[in-house]
Amino acid sequence: MKLARTLALLVGAVALLTNPTWSQTIDVNALPAPVPGAPSTPGGILPLDLEDAYQLALARNLDLVVGRYNIAVANSSIHANSGIFDPNFLFGVDGDFTRSPSASALEGALVQESRNTRFGLTLDALLPSSTYLRLDTGMIRGATNSQFFFIDPRYNADVSFSLRQPLLRDFGSLVTRQGIVVAQNVRDRTAETFEIGVVAVLQQVEEAYWNLVASRRAVEVSEQSLELAQRLLGETDERVKVGTSAPIDLVQSETGVATRLQDLIAAGNLAANAEDALKAVLGFDAPEEWLTEIETTEAYEFAPMDIDLAQAIDTALARRPEIRRKLLELEQLEYDVRVARNRVLPSLDLEASYGWGGIGGDARIDEDDDGTTDIVIPGGPGDAWDQVFDFDFPHWRLGIQFGIPIGNNEAQGLLAQRRYEQQRSTIELNAIRQQIIQEVRVAVRALADGKALVEASLAARDLSERNLEAEETKFDNGLSTNYQVLEIQEDLAQSQLSLIRAYLDYRKANIGYRVSTGTLLDFLSVDIVDPGSPDVPHDYWKNVEWLQFDDIDGASGRVTDPVAA
């Protein structure tokens, strides 16, 4: 029985539950980074403890690689949406030519010809206050054969400033910054989703690693059981030869050997599958990487925990990323409701423009009215610009535009929709909290039951060993049969497998408890390195309260509200 006791001590040595032994924090990049190659494996064997397994999975797991790109995409979306405040510069030039017969002597030529060339420069921008500013400057060069144009060619220059300012609907930074606010919120939610993914991968590593350890221990138990059956077969064969046992006993022993060989083959298959499952979690992707044999080297001592259920629930409600992500969604929906309230208002826009014009060119004078030019006063585009910058010929426009959709069904329906979405999300948050409380209760119960199960499995294993020793003694004295010895050998193998499962289940329960309370990253000393949302260009005036206008004297409250919103 020395082999059985040695194996039992080996199984006990791998159980499971003190804090990690590594001293350094494991950093996880939240943004895309080069994926490291597989570690070197001299002889095709990769010695792997849990810290190395965490490091490999966090760097190479494909789900996390995708999650990092999701955060990078969200960062880019913030920059893209901030472009709403980028100034726009436009330069244009075009020309036209017209030659047409005259239908009136007032056109100044029998066949009128005109040629125009236009140059234009425009600079416009939208401010967070929803003010639209525009600067236009340009020149038109026109030439014609009509005798009624005494400046030909002529140069018309103009500079004008204009603005449009919404005063009710679409007023202020609440509306203009909506795309930026949404993008920032999505980015924060994506970061929370990434943390959830990191926790999931760590949990998968834990389960896959210890499943591999347990399956290989099960192979050793099956080998031990086969060895005991083979030893019994040899002893039975000797007893049959000397006539102390019947030949039928030899058949029973041979059947026992064949059965245990089947068990060993099945255990080996499960161990190979468990190793492949761990490789998948670790991010093995190249065919040659799958040929590597993983050698597990981690060993913890069994250390049961006593948990305060009420404190565990409070910790979970404060630290679970699922709750933080849902609260961010609620913030966004509250913002959407405010924007929808603003959309219900009528439009009232102030429009204004002011500018100066000028004209220049060769002045042609016909003193004797004979249709020919007698005097030419030279001029050109410079004269036109001199008039503009001397402010000689101003022009301006000022007005107000008021509009309201009759019925306003689209805006009112959208507001009701946003309010329903907000209330639905509140209920979903309550459901998440309810689920988390249930998960914590299940996790705490699993720890308590797991501790009792380990103690019971240890006792059952010890009793099975003693029972087998006693039965072998009886067999040696002719007081037992091959069948009884084989049955008790099987009982010992099952008790050893049950102990392995009990240790594995307790480790899973411990990790499950850390996941349910949101403390797994701290427990494993894992830190997500996230620089946060990128800086937003044109982020001025975002905190000016009076620009956060969404309603006027509760006007949107007259919209049909869902559930007394």
Side-chain angles (χ1 to χ4, degrees):
M1 296 308 299
K2 182 177 180 182
L3 177 60
R5 289 193 175 277
T6 301
L7 178 60
L9 291 174
L10 181 61
V11 173
V14 299
L16 300 165
L17 242 198
T18 57
N19 284 316
T21 56
W22 51 89
S23 58
Q24 294 183 345
T25 299
I26 300 176
D27 291 332
V28 184
N29 289 324
L31 296 177
V35 178
S40 59
T41 53
I45 298 177
L46 175 62
L48 193 70
D49 59 18
L50 267 178
E51 181 181 9
D52 292 336
Y54 294 147
Q55 296 273 18
L56 270 177
L58 294 175
R60 305 190 72 216
N61 183 272
L62 298 181
D63 290 336
L64 294 185
V65 172
V66 172
R68 292 183 178 96
Y69 278 101
N70 289 338
I71 294 179
V73 169
N75 285 344
S76 300
S77 179
I78 294 174
H79 279 289
N81 281 278
S82 67
I84 189 175
F85 300 125
D86 288 343
N88 298 301
F89 175 81
L90 176 66
F91 171 76
V93 58
D94 67 84
D96 64 73
F97 171 77
T98 302
R99 188 171 188 271
S100 61
S102 299
S104 170
L106 297 178
E107 294 184 12
L110 293 176
V111 177
Q112 187 177 16
E113 295 182 358
S114 65
R115 187 187 303 272
N116 299 291
T117 304
R118 301 173 188 84
F119 303 88
L121 248 166
T122 299
L123 182 65
D124 63 6
L126 178 67
L127 302 182
S129 58
S130 70
T131 306
Y132 175 73
L133 299 176
R134 178 170 177 146
L135 168 65
D136 289 288
T137 180
M139 171 172 281
I140 300 176
R141 180 189 184 280
T144 181
N145 63 348
S146 174
Q147 61 181 339
F148 296 129
F149 282 79
F150 63 89
I151 298 180
D152 187 61
R154 63 192 180 281
Y155 297 89
N156 294 90
D158 187 83
V159 173
S160 63
F161 301 90
S162 60
L163 70 84
R164 184 180 69 251
Q165 175 63 63
L167 301 177
L168 289 178
R169 185 194 301 168
D170 297 334
F171 169 80
S173 59
L174 182 75
V175 176
T176 57
R177 298 191 73 253
Q178 183 181 15
I180 298 174
V181 172
V182 170
Q184 289 175 322
N185 187 276
V186 169
R187 197 274 180 202
D188 292 340
R189 280 186 281 161
T190 304
E192 297 296 343
T193 301
F194 181 75
E195 179 176 336
I196 294 171
V198 169
V199 170
V201 167
L202 291 172
Q203 189 175 20
Q204 291 169 14
V205 170
E206 279 279 343
E207 293 188 1
Y209 189 93
W210 292 113
N211 280 339
L212 177 57
V213 171
S215 63
R216 286 180 173 172
R217 298 297 179 263
V219 170
E220 294 179 11
V221 170
S222 297
E223 290 174 344
Q224 174 208 2
S225 181
L226 176 61
E227 181 180 339
L228 291 175
Q230 289 172 336
R231 188 181 70 181
L232 179 62
L233 175 61
E235 294 174 354
T236 302
D237 184 56
E238 293 296 328
R239 293 166 68 94
V240 169
K241 289 179 179 179
V242 299
T244 58
S245 291
I248 190 64
D249 292 337
L250 190 62
V251 175
Q252 291 177 341
S253 297
E254 290 173 343
T255 302
V257 171
T259 301
R260 282 154 179 75
L261 182 59
Q262 291 177 338
D263 294 339
L264 178 60
I265 294 172
N269 180 268
L270 292 176
N273 291 339
E275 183 175 10
D276 282 349
L278 178 58
K279 290 176 180 177
V281 176
L282 297 180
F284 284 31
D285 51 6
E288 60 272 14
E289 294 176 2
W290 287 84
L291 301 178
T292 301
E293 179 183 350
I294 295 178
E295 179 183 342
T296 56
T297 61
E298 191 72 27
Y300 287 146
E301 294 181 357
F302 177 69
M305 301 186 303
D306 295 322
I307 303 297
D308 184 323
L309 177 59
Q311 183 178 358
I313 291 175
D314 290 341
T315 300
L317 294 178
R319 303 196 59 177
R320 284 286 290 267
E322 293 89 345
I323 291 181
R324 295 197 300 269
R325 183 174 62 181
K326 201 64 181 179
L327 288 173
L328 286 168
E329 179 183 312
L330 272 171
E331 289 180 10
Q332 179 56 53
L333 290 173
E334 181 182 357
Y335 193 95
D336 291 342
V337 168
R338 294 185 63 194
V339 173
R341 290 173 60 187
N342 180 273
R343 302 288 190 191
V344 172
L345 299 175
S347 64
L348 181 63
D349 298 345
L350 172 66
E351 297 181 352
S353 66
Y354 198 94
W356 299 268
I359 188 170
D362 294 338
R364 303 178 183 275
I365 301 175
D366 182 6
E367 290 186 329
D368 52 11
D369 296 328
D370 60 357
T372 60
T373 301
D374 299 318
I375 300 175
V376 176
I377 302 176
D383 299 326
W385 288 116
D386 287 341
Q387 295 169 19
V388 168
F389 294 116
D390 288 339
F391 313 123
D392 291 336
F393 304 103
H395 56 84
W396 59 270
R397 182 178 61 87
L398 180 64
I400 288 181
Q401 298 289 333
F402 177 81
I404 183 169
I406 298 176
N408 208 15
N409 291 314
E410 180 180 0
Q412 292 180 1
L414 181 61
L415 175 57
Q417 177 184 338
R418 293 291 180 258
R419 285 173 171 166
Y420 276 124
E421 290 172 348
Q422 184 183 30
Q423 293 180 0
R424 180 185 64 188
S425 187
T426 300
I427 300 301
E428 291 172 346
L429 175 61
N430 293 335
I432 291 174
R433 286 173 171 155
Q434 182 185 69
Q435 180 182 357
I436 287 174
I437 292 174
Q438 180 186 7
E439 290 175 358
V440 173
R441 292 177 62 86
V442 170
V444 172
R445 194 180 304 118
L447 283 174
D449 294 344
K451 174 185 175 183
L453 182 60
V454 168
E455 293 171 350
S457 298
L458 282 169
R461 190 275 317 273
D462 292 341
L463 290 173
S464 295
E465 290 175 356
R466 291 166 57 187
N467 191 27
L468 180 59
E469 290 176 354
E471 198 65 28
E472 287 179 335
T473 301
K474 291 169 61 178
F475 179 79
D476 293 339
N477 294 324
L479 300 177
S480 182
T481 66
N482 295 59
Y483 178 79
Q484 290 171 316
V485 173
L486 288 170
E487 285 294 310
I488 294 175
Q489 286 178 352
E490 179 65 20
D491 291 342
L492 174 60
Q494 291 302 318
S495 68
Q496 291 170 336
L497 291 175
S498 296
L499 180 58
I500 293 173
R501 286 193 293 267
Y503 279 130
L504 176 62
D505 290 343
Y506 195 80
R507 177 69 186 193
K508 289 181 179 179
N510 176 61
I511 296 301
Y513 167 75
R514 306 291 180 180
V515 172
S516 69
T517 55
T519 58
L520 182 63
L521 298 184
D522 291 341
F523 176 68
L524 299 179
S525 299
V526 174
D527 183 28
I528 297 177
V529 181
D530 185 357
S533 296
D535 294 334
V536 179
H538 320 301
D539 212 18
Y540 51 92
W541 300 351
K542 67 175 183 178
N543 296 320
V544 179
E545 291 187 8
W546 63 272
L547 289 177
Q548 304 290 318
F549 172 80
D550 58 9
D551 195 3
I552 179 170
D553 194 24
S556 65
R558 294 191 290 271
V559 176
T560 301
D561 295 342
V563 197

